[in-house]
mmCIF file with all atom_site columns, all heavy atoms in Angstrom:
data_model
loop_
_atom_site.group_PDB
_atom_site.id
_atom_site.type_symbol
_atom_site.label_atom_id
_atom_site.label_alt_id
_atom_site.label_comp_id
_atom_site.label_asym_id
_atom_site.label_entity_id
_atom_site.label_seq_id
_atom_site.pdbx_PDB_ins_code
_atom_site.Cartn_x
_atom_site.Cartn_y
_atom_site.Cartn_z
_atom_site.occupancy
_atom_site.B_iso_or_equiv
_atom_site.pdbx_formal_charge
_atom_site.auth_seq_id
_atom_site.auth_comp_id
_atom_site.auth_asym_id
_atom_site.auth_atom_id
_atom_site.pdbx_PDB_model_num
ATOM 1  N N   . ASP A 1 17  ? 40.272 133.400 -40.907 1.00 95.00 ? 17  ASP A N   1
ATOM 2  C CA  . ASP A 1 17  ? 40.350 134.551 -41.803 1.00 95.00 ? 17  ASP A CA  1
ATOM 3  C C   . ASP A 1 17  ? 38.955 135.170 -41.911 1.00 95.00 ? 17  ASP A C   1
ATOM 4  O O   . ASP A 1 17  ? 38.003 134.657 -41.373 1.00 95.00 ? 17  ASP A O   1
ATOM 5  C CB  . ASP A 1 17  ? 40.864 134.090 -43.183 1.00 95.00 ? 17  ASP A CB  1
ATOM 6  C CG  . ASP A 1 17  ? 40.004 133.067 -43.847 1.00 95.00 ? 17  ASP A CG  1
ATOM 7  O OD1 . ASP A 1 17  ? 38.801 132.956 -43.493 1.00 95.00 ? 17  ASP A OD1 1
ATOM 8  O OD2 . ASP A 1 17  ? 40.512 132.345 -44.704 1.00 95.00 ? 17  ASP A OD2 1
ATOM 9  N N   . ARG A 1 92  ? 84.889 120.879 -11.289 1.00 50.00 ? 92  ARG A N   1
ATOM 10 C CA  . ARG A 1 92  ? 85.156 122.258 -10.871 1.00 50.00 ? 92  ARG A CA  1
ATOM 11 C C   . ARG A 1 92  ? 85.701 122.237 -9.466  1.00 50.00 ? 92  ARG A C   1
ATOM 12 O O   . ARG A 1 92  ? 86.543 123.013 -9.085  1.00 50.00 ? 92  ARG A O   1
ATOM 13 C CB  . ARG A 1 92  ? 83.902 123.076 -10.883 1.00 50.00 ? 92  ARG A CB  1
ATOM 14 C CG  . ARG A 1 92  ? 83.678 123.743 -12.206 1.00 50.00 ? 92  ARG A CG  1
ATOM 15 C CD  . ARG A 1 92  ? 82.644 124.904 -12.056 1.00 50.00 ? 92  ARG A CD  1
ATOM 16 N NE  . ARG A 1 92  ? 81.406 124.394 -11.489 1.00 50.00 ? 92  ARG A NE  1
ATOM 17 C CZ  . ARG A 1 92  ? 80.380 123.929 -12.214 1.00 50.00 ? 92  ARG A CZ  1
ATOM 18 N NH1 . ARG A 1 92  ? 80.522 123.789 -13.489 1.00 50.00 ? 92  ARG A NH1 1
ATOM 19 N NH2 . ARG A 1 92  ? 79.274 123.502 -11.606 1.00 50.00 ? 92  ARG A NH2 1
ATOM 20 N N   . LEU A 1 116 ? 94.061 100.469 -3.946  1.00 53.00 ? 116 LEU A N   1
ATOM 21 C CA  . LEU A 1 116 ? 94.219 99.392  -2.996  1.00 53.00 ? 116 LEU A CA  1
ATOM 22 C C   . LEU A 1 116 ? 94.596 99.929  -1.622  1.00 53.00 ? 116 LEU A C   1
ATOM 23 O O   . LEU A 1 116 ? 93.972 99.510  -0.617  1.00 53.00 ? 116 LEU A O   1
ATOM 24 C CB  . LEU A 1 116 ? 95.313 98.427  -3.478  1.00 53.00 ? 116 LEU A CB  1
ATOM 25 C CG  . LEU A 1 116 ? 95.578 97.210  -2.569  1.00 53.00 ? 116 LEU A CG  1
ATOM 26 C CD1 . LEU A 1 116 ? 94.378 96.399  -2.448  1.00 53.00 ? 116 LEU A CD1 1
ATOM 27 C CD2 . LEU A 1 116 ? 96.752 96.416  -3.077  1.00 53.00 ? 116 LEU A CD2 1
ATOM 28 N N   . GLY A 1 137 ? 97.088 89.666  -11.036 1.00 68.00 ? 137 GLY A N   1
ATOM 29 C CA  . GLY A 1 137 ? 97.461 90.741  -11.931 1.00 68.00 ? 137 GLY A CA  1
ATOM 30 C C   . GLY A 1 137 ? 97.544 92.092  -11.222 1.00 68.00 ? 137 GLY A C   1
ATOM 31 O O   . GLY A 1 137 ? 97.751 93.116  -11.889 1.00 68.00 ? 137 GLY A O   1
ATOM 32 N N   . ALA A 1 149 ? 77.860 87.676  -2.735  1.00 88.00 ? 149 ALA A N   1
ATOM 33 C CA  . ALA A 1 149 ? 76.697 88.506  -3.072  1.00 88.00 ? 149 ALA A CA  1
ATOM 34 C C   . ALA A 1 149 ? 76.718 88.891  -4.521  1.00 88.00 ? 149 ALA A C   1
ATOM 35 O O   . ALA A 1 149 ? 75.669 88.896  -5.240  1.00 88.00 ? 149 ALA A O   1
ATOM 36 C CB  . ALA A 1 149 ? 76.706 89.748  -2.181  1.00 88.00 ? 149 ALA A CB  1
ATOM 37 N N   . ALA A 1 155 ? 69.517 92.114  -7.642  1.00 79.00 ? 155 ALA A N   1
ATOM 38 C CA  . ALA A 1 155 ? 69.181 93.473  -7.133  1.00 79.00 ? 155 ALA A CA  1
ATOM 39 C C   . ALA A 1 155 ? 67.726 93.496  -6.685  1.00 79.00 ? 155 ALA A C   1
ATOM 40 O O   . ALA A 1 155 ? 67.406 94.225  -5.753  1.00 79.00 ? 155 ALA A O   1
ATOM 41 C CB  . ALA A 1 155 ? 69.445 94.496  -8.222  1.00 79.00 ? 155 ALA A CB  1
ATOM 42 N N   . GLN A 1 158 ? 67.068 91.467  -2.583  1.00 72.00 ? 158 GLN A N   1
ATOM 43 C CA  . GLN A 1 158 ? 68.140 91.651  -1.603  1.00 72.00 ? 158 GLN A CA  1
ATOM 44 C C   . GLN A 1 158 ? 67.825 90.737  -0.379  1.00 72.00 ? 158 GLN A C   1
ATOM 45 O O   . GLN A 1 158 ? 66.677 90.733  0.100   1.00 72.00 ? 158 GLN A O   1
ATOM 46 C CB  . GLN A 1 158 ? 68.221 93.107  -1.148  1.00 72.00 ? 158 GLN A CB  1
ATOM 47 C CG  . GLN A 1 158 ? 68.357 94.095  -2.295  1.00 72.00 ? 158 GLN A CG  1
ATOM 48 C CD  . GLN A 1 158 ? 69.723 94.099  -2.913  1.00 72.00 ? 158 GLN A CD  1
ATOM 49 O OE1 . GLN A 1 158 ? 70.652 93.451  -2.426  1.00 72.00 ? 158 GLN A OE1 1
ATOM 50 N NE2 . GLN A 1 158 ? 69.880 94.841  -3.973  1.00 72.00 ? 158 GLN A NE2 1
ATOM 51 N N   . ILE A 1 229 ? 80.939 106.578 -8.445  1.00 80.00 ? 229 ILE A N   1
ATOM 52 C CA  . ILE A 1 229 ? 80.449 105.250 -8.895  1.00 80.00 ? 229 ILE A CA  1
ATOM 53 C C   . ILE A 1 229 ? 79.528 105.442 -10.082 1.00 80.00 ? 229 ILE A C   1
ATOM 54 O O   . ILE A 1 229 ? 79.633 104.815 -11.111 1.00 80.00 ? 229 ILE A O   1
ATOM 55 C CB  . ILE A 1 229 ? 79.678 104.537 -7.740  1.00 80.00 ? 229 ILE A CB  1
ATOM 56 C CG1 . ILE A 1 229 ? 80.519 104.527 -6.485  1.00 80.00 ? 229 ILE A CG1 1
ATOM 57 C CG2 . ILE A 1 229 ? 79.339 103.118 -8.226  1.00 80.00 ? 229 ILE A CG2 1
ATOM 58 C CD1 . ILE A 1 229 ? 81.657 103.581 -6.434  1.00 80.00 ? 229 ILE A CD1 1
#
Side-chain angles (χ1 to χ4, degrees):
Chain A
D17 61 22
R92 270 198 305 274
L116 178 62
Q158 307 286 354
I229 310 284

